[in-house]
């Protein structure tokens, strides 16, 4: 997800782990309000890793998702959720999809230049419908739909 304000990344991490993600990589975007320094990033990454561990235990997962560094690239199919529109998830993801990277913007969303750059790197803009969701709601909605499409939630 785009780096949100305050501690919003903590509940996003917890809920995303409960929903089955295997890796979370925070991203600094042009509209990210939070701009942590290197020391803060390291501390935040450690805290988020502990949250991921606890969420994995609570939800009975055998895999503890990794909290990646902000500079890592995204594997698999890349889907950027954009309030400016895009394709429906059902048209982008097949039931047997092995790996999907999801990009969610911070408060204020992605700017047009970031969307274009993501497209150049293979990301496809997608929509979660007509409503603009909060940065802490959008990942949970996207993951829930992806789980349903791939048969992980029935």
């Amino acid at each position: 997800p785009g780096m949100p304000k305050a501690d919003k990344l903590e509940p996003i991490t917890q809920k995303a782990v409960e929903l089955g993600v295997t890796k979370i990589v925070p991203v600094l975007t042009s509209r990210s309000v939070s701009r942590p320094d290197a020391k803060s990033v390291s501390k935040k990454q450690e805290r988020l890793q502990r949250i991921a561990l606890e969420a994995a235990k609570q939800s009975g997962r055998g895999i503890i998702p990794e909290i990646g560094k902000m500079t890592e690239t995204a594997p698999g199919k890349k889907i950027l959720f954009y309030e400016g529109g895009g394709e429906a998830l059902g048209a982008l993801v097949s039931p047997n999809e092995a790996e999907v990277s999801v990009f969610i913007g911070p408060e204020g969303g992605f700017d047009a230049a970031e969307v274009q750059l993501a497209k150049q790197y293979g990301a496809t803009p997608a929509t979660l419908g007509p409503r603009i969701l909060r940065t802490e709601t959008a990942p949970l909605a996207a993951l829930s739909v992806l789980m349903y499409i791939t048969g992980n939630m029935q």
Side-chain angles (χ1 to χ4, degrees):
M3 195 68 169
K5 292 190 281 187
D7 293 330
K8 290 181 180 179
L9 195 52
E10 292 178 9
I12 291 170
T13 298
Q14 181 186 52
K15 302 307 178 195
V17 169
E18 290 175 20
L19 288 170
V21 301
T22 57
K23 187 172 188 177
I24 297 171
V25 181
V27 177
L28 281 178
T29 68
S30 67
R31 294 182 181 161
S32 291
V33 175
S34 178
R35 300 254 173 219
D37 59 25
K39 184 178 178 183
S40 296
V41 166
S42 178
K43 286 177 107 175
K44 186 174 274 290
Q45 184 179 12
E46 288 174 19
R47 174 148 175 75
L48 293 173
Q49 192 64 62
R50 283 192 305 273
I51 290 169
L53 170 64
E54 290 303 315
K57 285 180 183 177
Q58 182 274 323
S59 60
R61 293 192 58 193
I63 297 172
I64 301 165
E66 176 187 354
I67 305 299
K69 295 180 181 177
M70 287 190 196
T71 58
E72 295 183 26
T73 58
K77 182 175 293 240
K78 296 163 189 59
I79 300 175
L80 178 128
F81 288 95
Y82 182 50
E83 64 276 5
E87 294 186 48
L89 267 180
L92 294 174
V93 179
S94 68
N96 59 353
E97 203 72 54
E99 203 168 29
V100 178
S101 290
V102 173
F103 295 87
I104 305 286
E107 294 87 347
F110 292 111
D111 70 25
E114 289 169 331
V115 173
Q116 289 307 314
L117 183 62
K119 287 167 122 179
Q120 289 174 8
Y121 282 94
T124 302
T127 181
L128 287 169
R131 293 169 203 81
I132 296 176
L133 302 176
R134 291 183 177 271
T135 194
E136 62 269 28
T137 306
L140 306 179
L143 290 171
S144 296
V145 173
L146 285 168
M147 287 179 67
Y148 181 77
I149 290 171
T150 58
N152 288 294
M153 180 182 284
Q154 295 176 342

